[in-house]
Amino acid sequence: MIARLRTQISDAWQYFLAPALAALLPWRLGYRWLRWLSRREGGAFDEPARAAVAVAPQHLELADTAAFAANVRLNCLLDVADLYLSLRRPRLGALPWHVQQVGQWPRDTNFVAASFHHGNGHWVFKSLARAGFNSTFISARWQRADYAGVPLRYWYGRLRGADIERLGGRPVVFRPRARAQLAQVLAERAVVVSLFDIPPRLAPRGQRPVRLLDRDVCFPDGALELARAAGLPVVPYWMEFDLASGVRRLVIGQPLDPADPATLQALADVLDRALRQTPSAWFFWPEWPRWLQDAPAALQQAAAPGDDE
C-alpha cells in the first residue's frame, strides 16, 4: 500500500505538477526547471532511462552514460510538458518561440505525414492546423487495464489524446483494422499522421526490411500502402533538439512517392540520423532488443501487404 501511494505521488508530480509548472513559467526558466529535475533520479522516467542506458551503448558511442540517462529523463519531461504548453494555446495560434518550424507542408494536396517515436510530436498537429489541414493520428488503444497500479498515467494519456483531437480537428484512429477509417480521412482531404518505427510485436503484418543503426530490421508498410492507394505523397517530418537551450526545430522534409521501393529506407535513414544526433529522444530503446530478435521471422511472414494500420 505504501509503495503504491509513493508511485501515485511520484506520477502526480512528474506527469502533472512539475511539467505544468514548467509550461506556466517563461520558457527559459521552465526549461531550467526541467533540466534540474532530469538530473535527479527517482520517479516514472527512471525506467525508460535505465532501459535506454542498457541498450543504446551497444549501438551508439556514448561518452557519458549518466548524462545520457539524464537526457532521456529530460526528453520524457519535455514530452509531458508539451501537453500543458499546447493546452495554453489556441488551435491556430503560433508555435511557441522555442519550437521553430523549418520547411512547409504541401499546399496543393493532402498527404500522409511520416515520423517516428523520436522527439516530441505534439506540435505537428498545431503546425498542420495552421497550414489549413485537419489531421488524425494512428494509435494503439489506451486500455485502462494496461495501467493497473498507475491510473494517473492512463488519465494523462486520455488528456493528451483529447488535445491531439482538438488540434487535429478529427478523432484519433485506433489500431488494428483502421484502414477503412484512414482511407476515408484521406478522401476528405485531411492528413494522416503515422509513426513508422513500429516493431513486429506491435504491428506483425506488412513488415518490410530496412537498415537502421547498422542493423537489418523492419518497418511496417501499411501507411505507405494507404498513401499509394489514395495517390498521395508521404511527407517526412522530425524534431531536432538543442538540449542546452531547450530550443527545438520541427523539420518538414520533401514529399516522397509511396510507390517507390526506396521510400521506406529513406524514412529509416531519417530516423537513423535523428538517433545519432539525439539518441536520448527515442522512446523505443526498450523495444530495440526484441525488435532485432523478431525481425527475421516477421519478414518471412510478410508476403501479403499489412493491414494493421
Side-chain angles (χ1 to χ4, degrees):
M1 179 66 72
I2 293 175
R4 183 171 182 175
L5 179 61
R6 287 175 177 168
T7 297
Q8 301 313 309
I9 292 172
S10 175
D11 282 359
W13 177 246
Q14 293 202 306
Y15 280 96
F16 293 92
L17 299 176
L21 175 59
L24 290 171
L25 291 169
W27 182 243
R28 288 185 177 87
L29 290 177
Y31 187 65
R32 287 182 186 177
W33 165 239
L34 294 179
R35 289 194 72 188
W36 183 84
L37 286 175
S38 72
R39 296 186 182 114
R40 279 137 186 86
E41 297 182 4
F45 303 133
D46 274 356
E47 183 178 350
R50 285 193 295 266
V53 167
V55 175
Q58 302 173 39
H59 304 277
L60 295 171
E61 189 172 330
L62 301 176
D64 186 336
T65 56
F68 173 68
N71 284 339
V72 172
R73 291 190 290 269
L74 176 60
N75 279 109
C76 291
L77 286 164
L78 273 172
D79 193 53
V80 177
D82 273 350
L83 169 60
Y84 305 108
L85 286 164
S86 174
L87 287 170
R88 295 184 59 200
R89 289 166 170 79
R91 178 174 184 259
L92 298 180
L95 293 169
W97 66 266
H98 48 87
V99 180
Q100 302 166 357
Q101 181 173 313
V102 179
Q104 298 295 327
W105 301 109
R107 295 291 185 179
D108 56 347
T109 182
N110 60 323
F111 47 89
V112 171
S115 198
F116 318 96
H117 293 85
H118 179 274
N120 310 87
H122 219 68
W123 300 111
V124 66
F125 301 98
K126 177 179 280 295
S127 173
L128 286 166
R130 286 173 52 79
F133 292 105
N134 284 346
S135 60
T136 193
F137 181 56
I138 311 171
S139 175
R141 290 189 180 275
W142 296 299
Q143 303 284 1
R144 193 165 184 176
D146 294 337
Y147 295 86
V150 285
L152 291 179
R153 301 183 196 184
Y154 169 77
W155 290 112
Y156 163 76
R158 288 292 300 271
L159 181 61
R160 187 181 181 99
D163 194 52
I164 287 173
E165 292 185 346
R166 174 183 73 91
L167 296 172
R170 302 188 66 104
V172 172
V173 174
F174 295 104
R175 297 188 189 93
R177 293 178 293 277
R179 184 179 293 274
Q181 297 178 67
L182 296 171
Q184 184 63 32
V185 169
L186 294 177
E188 294 173 2
R189 297 190 58 81
V191 170
V192 169
V193 178
S194 180
L195 304 183
F196 274 70
D197 55 337
I198 306 294
R201 181 180 73 83
L202 300 178
R205 300 197 48 147
Q207 293 278 347
R208 297 289 181 259
V210 295
R211 188 78 173 165
L212 181 65
L213 294 178
D214 301 319
R215 299 297 185 96
D216 293 321
V217 288
C218 49
F219 280 1
D221 68 352
L224 287 185
E225 291 296 314
L226 184 76
R228 183 189 59 77
L232 296 173
V234 173
V235 180
Y237 72 92
W238 61 95
M239 191 71 83
E240 295 179 350
F241 296 82
D242 182 347
L243 292 180
S245 68
V247 173
R248 290 166 282 167
R249 300 198 310 163
L250 173 64
V251 185
I252 301 167
Q254 293 299 310
L256 301 172
D257 180 359
D260 186 339
T263 290
L264 202 59
Q265 183 58 54
L267 293 172
D269 291 343
V270 171
L271 177 58
D272 192 275
R273 289 191 295 272
L275 290 177
R276 296 177 192 279
Q277 289 173 1
T278 314
S280 60
W282 200 32
F283 295 105
F284 264 15
W285 282 119
E287 289 283 344
W288 188 238
R290 182 172 174 180
W291 197 337
L292 292 169
Q293 179 181 337
D294 291 348
L299 292 172
Q300 287 180 1
Q301 298 171 7
D307 58 6
D308 285 65
E309 296 294 341

